[in-house]
Amino acid sequence: MIAKLFARSRKIVIKIGSNTLADAEGKIDRAFLASFAEQAAVLMKSGKQLVVVSSGARIAGISAIDKWARKKDIHYKQALCAIGQVELMEAWKKAFEPSGIHIAQLLLTRDDFSDDIRTLNMRNTLFTLVDEGVVPVINENDSVCVDEIKIGDNDTLASLSAVLWSADLLVLFSDIDGVYDKNPKEHGDAVLVETVSDIAALKASISIGTTNGFGTGGISTKIEAAEKAVSYGIPMILAHGGRPRALEALVAGRQPGTVFLAD
Ligand code: ADP
């Protein structure tokens, strides 16, 4: 099923969560980025087009400047994201460099998606970049957003981006293999849900636990992202980004995941 979805999709949005981007010390995991970029380059050579939605600005900021981690003041948080975004993009640039692929930064806010002219501009920019073989790396523009006007999590940002770009497939990489009937971090006997064709029924049948580590959205926002994508005819896969060569393994049908069907 997963391999088939990849095979029939040309335009693919891949979101990478903070827990997947960070290593055990809470720094940007450059080895992961390099490996991901190499696998992405192979996919692109086979004719796929990719847009990446990348979290991790805050953690990159904390590890870059090594202070303010505990400051509650919103301006410090935003300052950390502003510092970290540079680190993050530098890491992505280095990761794609060996494959000769350029990356581009798009920092978006909720307002951008509700304004027709901005939406059209973003869409055209995305199409132009991708047509030219560049990989757009999207993140929320945390430095200009206060909580009230935030999209707030990159699962939602990824689904909005997938809809905006008219993607064929949305992939969310997290630190779990997919949606389980209960939180797998708390229950050893949790069972993976492999295929979802009725999201309302899924929500009624599973229990949702707490988020961990650097995560912001948790499983709820991933399910909401699926609802949005599927309502626009875009299927979504939730999978473990930290497994060995996860992208390649998914494409080959060697790795499990939760598939949200769109038809
Ligand atoms: P990311 O940083 O990748 O966006 P999050 O930490 O925000 O990830 O969300 C994923 C986490 O949600 C998982 O690591 C898991 O602990 C938690 N979770 C809670 N309930 C469930 C469930 N029913 N199925 C899967 N994961 C769940």
Side-chain angles (χ1 to χ4, degrees):
M1 171 76 76
I2 291 178
K4 257 193 205 150
L5 273 180
F6 272 99
R8 71 172 199 216
S9 305
R10 178 151 182 263
K11 296 161 76 181
I12 304 170
V13 174
I14 304 179
K15 179 256 176 175
I16 303 175
S18 300
N19 289 311
T20 309
L21 279 165
D23 62 18
E25 291 166 20
K27 298 210 161 108
I28 292 287
D29 186 345
R30 285 172 183 264
F32 168 82
L33 259 59
S35 169
F36 176 86
E38 186 223 317
Q39 296 163 63
V42 173
L43 263 192
M44 289 167 71
K45 277 220 179 78
S46 77
K48 310 287 183 199
Q49 299 185 322
L50 297 186
V51 167
V52 172
V53 176
S54 174
S55 307
R58 201 175 126 76
I59 55 166
I62 291 169
S63 58
I65 193 158
D66 202 19
K67 54 186 180 183
W68 307 339
R70 286 175 209 289
K71 293 243 192 214
K72 293 268 182 286
D73 184 330
I74 179 80
H75 299 118
Y76 275 98
K77 284 189 190 170
Q78 292 182 317
L80 269 180
C81 291
I83 294 164
Q85 185 63 29
V86 179
E87 298 289 317
L88 183 64
M89 293 310 289
E90 190 262 346
W92 275 118
K93 182 176 178 317
K94 286 254 161 63
F96 274 99
E97 232 159 42
S99 308
I101 293 171
H102 288 286
I103 58 151
Q105 170 181 266
L106 268 88
L107 293 176
L108 306 177
T109 65
R110 181 176 285 286
D111 283 351
D112 294 328
F113 287 94
S114 46
D115 180 298
D116 286 348
I117 294 173
R118 288 193 203 183
T119 305
L120 187 64
N121 283 334
M122 278 145 56
R123 204 175 137 83
N124 287 340
T125 306
L126 271 179
F127 274 98
T128 305
L129 288 167
V130 169
D131 283 348
E132 294 296 331
V134 176
V135 174
V137 181
I138 300 178
N139 198 2
E140 181 153 25
N141 195 352
D142 285 314
S143 304
V144 302
C145 288
V146 288
D147 282 349
E148 291 71 27
I149 58 158
K150 253 188 165 184
I151 296 171
D153 68 89
N154 276 356
D155 301 320
T156 307
L157 176 62
S159 67
L160 289 169
S161 304
V163 171
L164 176 79
W165 185 43
S166 308
D168 302 316
L169 178 64
L170 171 61
V171 180
L172 301 187
F173 271 138
S174 186
D175 65 343
I176 29 135
D177 280 318
V179 181
Y180 288 76
D181 60 344
K182 48 197 169 191
N183 189 357
K185 298 276 169 68
E186 290 161 21
H187 305 272
D189 62 342
V191 179
L192 179 68
V193 181
E194 288 190 81
T195 312
V196 179
S197 45
D198 181 344
I199 297 179
L202 172 82
K203 286 204 281 195
S205 68
I206 63 164
S207 78
I208 290 172
T210 47
T211 317
N212 55 295
F214 304 107
T216 43
I219 205 71
S220 307
T221 55
K222 291 171 185 38
I223 296 173
E224 280 163 29
E227 266 174 327
K228 174 141 194 97
V230 162
S231 74
Y232 281 86
I234 306 169
M236 189 186 105
I237 298 169
L238 173 60
H240 199 318
R243 294 215 174 279
R245 303 189 69 80
L247 182 56
E248 188 182 275
L250 272 184
V251 174
R254 280 188 273 111
Q255 189 179 313
T258 298
V259 174
F260 295 83
L261 296 169
D263 352 272

